[in-house]
Amino acid sequence: MEIALLALGLVLIVEGLAWALAPSIIEQLLEALRALPMDQRRLLGLTALAVGIFCVWVAKTLGA
């Protein structure tokens, strides 16, 4: 349970930093995402999921 809480906290830190430091860039990114077809957004999400799983696997392999 504490690992899930840690992961959620880290995601919120990264998201919060992005919104605090560059809100206009985030708005531009959201507009660009809205312009993509649904299939491309889904593929982007699946790619992000795969990269995230890979990062967790590497971290676990290295002893985290």
Side-chain angles (χ1 to χ4, degrees):
M1 181 65 183
E2 57 258 351
I3 291 176
L5 188 58
L6 174 64
L8 178 61
L10 290 172
V11 167
L12 291 173
I13 288 170
V14 171
E15 289 285 332
L17 276 173
W19 279 101
L21 297 176
S24 62
I25 293 174
I26 298 297
E27 290 295 328
Q28 291 172 1
L29 177 62
L30 290 173
E31 286 296 323
L33 286 172
R34 281 186 204 106
L36 288 176
M38 188 65 70
D39 289 342
Q40 285 184 339
R41 283 187 258 170
R42 185 170 285 122
L43 181 60
L44 184 62
L46 289 172
T47 302
L49 175 66
V51 170
I53 290 171
F54 177 74
C55 288
V56 170
W57 176 77
V58 168
K60 288 300 228 179
T61 301
L62 294 175

